């Protein structure tokens, strides 16, 4: 267990004016290559901050993030992010949004035709070829998020970071996209780190679930392995004892031992 | 042979109904569309025509006496209808149609406003990106933008010692401020999401400028350009009055000096219509260029 992605003793303190709040304290986590790890916790526990630190969008106050034994402290396409609100550029078509990423990451190494092919391939992966010329304003929330996922996948990241990717979607679209992400991950063996606050989503998708305590000074409370075989099927899992037990464990953590306290 | 016929018979009414329904669906919107368009056209054109008629009538009544200080519409028509009817005649170096004069002025505006657009967007981008630059420069912009165009003229005449570049400089310096200020606001309002995308993609400064900044701030930039083009048209008339040469502004000054008041009224209409068209042109380019920029 060497760890492909290592988060070591990460602290994060936000200070504004004279006041400072310690959001994360001593977070340590190792993610193996090809693993799907979910980070779950109540809102305000700093899980998005943790993801931003891994992405390099936020700097840790102390501690390091190592990817393949190299420190990362700036954002880069090797840690592609799927943002909660999709963050597509509204003036570009679905194709151009992905192509921008493809051109940036592979512009120096591949030909124009190859990059077009790769863009189309990624549109196909998320079954969005029919909407290639649509702008984000013209497609539904689920479709936007699929383009967001395709854009991230197109960068061929070492780690795929998902920041509550299904949070803004309705339940049916969410289930459909979860299945799609699961299928893609199986197909490509991506290393994935996903932020979520949905227990079922975490158990269904993850190999490991990282449960965070409440903030401030949040840290990792417990890590749960999900020993379910893949491919997973949400309908048969609904009655699977292992699935139910994992779900139970997470629920107990979130609602018994670390209940959400409304900030005063 | 009978089978298909029966089949057809049973299906025929439904089929016809469908065809008819389809036709009806198509016909109604078409009728509505054209009927609506004609109605819209009249609704848009008739009220301003009525207003215009009333203004001309009141004006005519007010200036009807032969000793009135200002010419009446009928006198303007009888004395200056050549200017209205023949915008593009040319018989001598100072005897030409107002169309030519407006074009000469437009050329000056194109140069001055073009320079102001490029410089204004670049300066605005710089100011919008940096907190320090905003603090240092914004108060100065806010003061300079209130200086009237004519006040710049002596300074620019002294600096350039030539009327042509002075006129262009006056246009430039008058129209640049709203462009700078609006661009800066647009850049400051770029959502953090787009900055995050740019950071993950590791876009460099130039890529960030073209691929994120300009499209994201485009609605703001175009409202600045629209204000700017209006101001530059205000400035051209003022500048040409003093610098002379060919141009619609100088024409007014010249007409005043030779007491041709009706000509001035005609020139005012030319200026107004041209300014209106400039404004609409920039607005039109803006709606095309910013398509999608505000959708989420």
């Amino acid at each position: 267990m060497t760890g492909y992605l290592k988060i070591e003793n990460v602290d994060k303190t936000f200070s504004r004016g004279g006041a400072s709040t310690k959001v994360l304290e001593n977070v340590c986590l190792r993610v193996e290559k090809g693993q799907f790890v979910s980070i779950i916790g109540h809102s305000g526990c700093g899980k998005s901050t943790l993801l931003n630190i891994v992405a390099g969008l936020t700097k840790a106050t102390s501690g390091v993030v190592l990817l393949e034994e190299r420190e990362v402290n700036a954002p880069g396409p090797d840690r592609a992010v799927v943002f909660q609100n999709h963050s597509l550029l509204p003036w570009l078509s679905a194709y151009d949004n992905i192509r921008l990423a493809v051109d940036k990451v592979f512009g120096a190494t591949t030909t124009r035709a190859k990059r077009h092919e790769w863009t189309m391939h990624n549109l196909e992966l998320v079954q969005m070829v029919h909407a290639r010329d649509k702008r984000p304003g013209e497609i539904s929330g689920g479709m936007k998020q699929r383009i967001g996922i395709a854009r991230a996948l197109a960068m061929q990241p070492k780690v795929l970071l998902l920041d509550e990717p299904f949070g803004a979607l309705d339940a049916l679209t969410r289930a459909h996209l979860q299945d799609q992400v699961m299928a893609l991950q199986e197909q490509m063996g991506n290393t994935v780190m996903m932020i979520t606050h949905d227990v079922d989503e975490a158990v269904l998708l993850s190999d490991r679930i990282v449960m965070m305590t409440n903030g401030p000074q949040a840290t990792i409370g417990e890590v749960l392995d999900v020993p379910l075989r893949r491919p997973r099927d949400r309908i048969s899992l609904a009655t699977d004892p292992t699935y139910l037990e994992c779900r139970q464990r997470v629920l107990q953590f979130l609602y018994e031992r670390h209940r959400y306290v409304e900030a005063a | 042979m009978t089978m298909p016929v029966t089949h057809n018979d049973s299906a025929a009414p439904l089929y016809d109904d469908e065809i008819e329904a389809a036709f009806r669906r198509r016909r109604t919107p078409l009728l509505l569309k054209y009927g609506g368009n004609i109605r819209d056209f009249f609704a848009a054109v008739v009220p301003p025509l009525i207003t215009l008629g009333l203004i001309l009538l009141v004006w005519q009544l007010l200036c009807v006496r032969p000793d009135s200080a200002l010419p009446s519409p009928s006198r303007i028509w009888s004395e200056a209808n050549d200017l209205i009817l023949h915008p593009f005649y040319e018989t001598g170096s100072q005897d030409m149609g107002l169309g030519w004069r407006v074009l000469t002025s437009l050329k000056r505006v194109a140069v001055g406003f073009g320079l102001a657009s490029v410089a204004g967007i670049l300066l605005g981008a710089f100011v919008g990106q940096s907190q320090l630059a905003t603090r240092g420069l914004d108060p100065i912009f806010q003061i300079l933008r209130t200086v009237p165009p004519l006040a710049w003229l002596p300074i620019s005449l002294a600096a350039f010692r030539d009327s042509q570049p002075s006129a262009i400089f006056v246009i430039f310096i008058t129209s640049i401020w709203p462009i700078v200020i609006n661009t800066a606001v647009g850049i400051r309002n770029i959502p953090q999401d787009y900055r995050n995308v740019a950071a993950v993609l590791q876009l460099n400064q130039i890529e960030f400028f073209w691929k994120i900044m300009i499209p994201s701030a485009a609605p703001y930039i175009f409202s600045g350009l629209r204000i700017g083009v209006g101001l530059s048209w205000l400035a051209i008339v003022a500048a040409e009055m003093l610098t002379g040469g060919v141009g619609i502004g100088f024409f007014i000054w010249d007409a005043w000096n030779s007491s041709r008041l009706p000509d001035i009224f005609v020139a005012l209409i030319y200026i107004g219509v041209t300014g209106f068209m400039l404004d609409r042109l920039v607005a039109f380019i803006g709606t095309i260029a910013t398509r999608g920029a505000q959708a989420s």
Side-chain angles (χ1 to χ4, degrees):
Chain A
M1 290 283 271
T2 46
Y4 185 61
L5 172 72
K6 288 190 275 195
I7 302 170
E8 294 189 340
N9 309 95
V10 163
D11 287 7
K12 178 67 194 176
T13 308
F14 282 112
S15 34
R16 177 171 291 168
S20 63
T21 329
K22 195 162 197 182
V23 183
L24 293 173
E25 189 173 70
N26 200 26
V27 175
C28 297
L29 180 67
R30 289 179 172 215
V31 180
E32 299 305 321
K33 190 168 184 174
Q35 236 178 14
F36 196 120
V37 174
S38 286
I39 296 173
I40 196 165
H42 292 293
S43 63
C45 74
K47 52 192 193 296
S48 280
T49 308
L50 181 60
L51 184 108
N52 281 342
I53 291 171
V54 176
L57 294 168
T58 307
K59 280 212 162 41
T61 310
S62 66
V64 287
V65 176
L66 297 168
L67 178 60
E68 288 188 312
E69 305 299 329
R70 296 171 91 178
E71 186 182 350
V72 289
N73 47 21
D78 57 340
R79 282 151 291 127
V81 187
V82 176
F83 299 95
Q84 178 175 10
N85 55 0
H86 64 78
S87 293
L88 298 177
L89 303 176
W91 51 87
L92 295 180
S93 67
Y95 175 89
D96 287 332
N97 262 291
I98 301 173
R99 183 65 189 264
L100 177 67
V102 172
D103 281 350
K104 190 55 202 169
V105 178
F106 302 106
T109 50
T110 55
T111 63
R112 184 176 285 268
K114 276 261 159 45
R115 278 177 277 151
H116 168 74
E117 227 169 77
W118 180 241
T119 308
M120 290 308 291
H121 171 72
N122 280 282
L123 272 169
E124 266 162 43
L125 281 181
V126 295
Q127 292 154 26
M128 286 297 292
V129 177
H130 62 281
R132 55 177 283 191
D133 295 324
K134 292 259 184 13
R135 287 162 195 263
E138 300 163 341
I139 57 180
S140 71
M143 290 160 100
K144 278 183 249 193
Q145 201 51 284
R146 267 145 76 179
I147 301 295
I149 292 168
R151 176 174 65 184
L153 288 175
M155 298 179 212
Q156 288 197 314
K158 289 175 178 160
V159 180
L160 184 61
L161 302 171
L162 308 176
D163 187 3
E164 295 189 35
F166 315 118
L169 305 175
D170 66 89
L172 292 175
T173 314
R174 188 185 306 171
H176 181 65
L177 266 186
Q178 284 167 349
D179 289 342
Q180 238 175 355
V181 165
M182 205 156 37
L184 286 173
Q185 201 256 344
E186 251 148 65
Q187 191 183 328
M188 300 197 272
N190 287 311
T191 311
V192 185
M193 191 170 144
M194 179 178 76
I195 302 289
T196 183
H197 49 225
D198 181 330
V199 177
D200 285 298
E201 181 173 288
V203 179
L204 178 68
L205 294 177
S206 321
D207 298 311
R208 282 161 79 211
I209 301 174
V210 175
M211 291 169 257
M212 292 192 63
T213 63
N214 284 325
Q217 284 158 312
T219 189
I220 293 173
E222 196 179 323
V223 179
L224 175 74
D225 283 309
V226 183
L228 290 168
R229 272 188 300 131
R230 292 178 187 273
R232 295 174 183 173
D233 169 52
R234 67 172 68 240
I235 298 168
S236 59
L237 280 181
T239 50
D240 186 297
T242 321
Y243 177 86
L244 292 175
E245 194 202 317
C246 291
R247 197 169 174 274
Q248 184 75 7
R249 289 272 300 274
V250 180
L251 286 173
Q252 271 170 353
F253 179 90
L254 290 176
Y255 298 106
E256 281 176 14
R257 284 185 284 145
H258 296 275
R259 284 174 69 104
Y260 181 56
V261 244
E262 202 69 55
Chain B
M1 275 305 281
T2 41
M3 266 304 280
V5 173
T6 358
H7 178 78
N8 267 357
D9 278 355
S10 65
L14 180 72
Y15 190 59
D16 280 351
D17 272 356
E18 270 175 2
I19 290 183
E20 220 202 302
F23 264 100
R24 223 180 297 130
R25 270 200 299 277
R26 234 190 105 189
R27 207 179 297 143
T28 331
L30 275 179
L31 266 174
L32 268 180
K33 205 171 130 199
Y34 283 107
N37 270 358
I38 293 166
R39 210 171 305 140
D40 285 353
F41 179 75
F42 278 108
V45 164
V46 172
L49 281 181
I50 293 173
T51 319
L52 186 65
L54 284 176
I55 290 172
L56 288 175
L57 185 70
V58 173
W59 181 3
Q60 182 72 30
L61 290 176
L62 286 176
C63 304
V64 77
R65 286 182 303 138
D67 61 334
S68 70
L70 295 174
S72 65
S74 62
R75 214 181 109 210
I76 292 173
W77 176 257
S78 62
E79 285 181 28
N81 66 49
D82 56 327
L83 291 176
I84 300 169
L85 296 175
H86 306 288
F88 290 105
Y89 76 89
E90 191 165 10
T91 50
S93 69
Q94 275 303 327
D95 189 14
M96 59 173 83
L98 287 181
W100 292 119
R101 292 181 186 274
V102 167
L103 279 182
T104 313
S105 299
L106 279 177
K107 258 182 243 160
R108 286 198 185 115
V109 166
V111 176
F113 177 67
L115 289 174
S117 305
V118 174
I121 291 170
L122 289 175
L123 194 57
F126 169 67
V127 172
Q129 265 299 73
S130 145
Q131 283 257 312
L132 194 66
T134 305
R135 282 197 208 119
L137 291 170
D138 196 59
I140 296 176
F141 293 162
Q142 297 293 349
I143 289 170
L144 286 180
R145 81 187 171 92
T146 65
V147 175
L150 267 181
W152 289 104
L153 200 67
I155 297 169
S156 76
L157 273 174
F160 292 102
R161 297 168 192 284
D162 187 11
S163 63
Q164 186 69 9
S166 310
I168 287 169
F169 175 77
V170 170
I171 296 161
F172 172 85
I173 204 77
T174 311
S175 58
I176 194 171
W177 308 117
I179 302 172
V180 172
I181 292 165
N182 274 281
T183 305
V185 171
I187 303 269
R188 268 201 293 277
N189 285 343
I190 295 176
Q192 188 58 40
D193 296 342
Y194 303 165
R195 293 183 188 276
N196 284 347
V197 170
V200 169
L201 288 178
Q202 292 179 328
L203 297 184
N204 62 37
Q205 290 283 318
I206 294 164
E207 287 167 329
F208 184 68
F209 179 78
W210 285 113
K211 304 212 154 133
I212 309 281
M213 264 188 177
I214 292 293
S216 175
Y220 292 88
I221 295 175
F222 271 97
S223 62
L225 289 178
R226 211 173 150 185
I227 301 169
V229 83
L231 286 179
S232 63
W233 192 236
L234 293 182
I236 180 76
V237 175
E240 283 178 356
M241 275 190 179
L242 296 187
T243 54
V246 179
I248 192 76
F250 177 70
F251 175 82
I252 293 181
W253 190 238
D254 195 38
W256 165 248
N257 283 331
S258 42
S259 315
R260 288 182 277 120
L261 270 183
D263 289 8
I264 296 180
F265 278 97
V266 177
L268 286 190
I269 293 163
Y270 270 88
I271 289 170
V273 171
T274 312
F276 175 75
M277 289 194 300
L278 277 181
D279 180 68
R280 283 301 148 104
L281 179 70
V282 175
F284 177 69
I285 297 171
T287 50
I288 289 179
T290 61
R291 236 178 340 162
Q294 265 152 342
S296 58

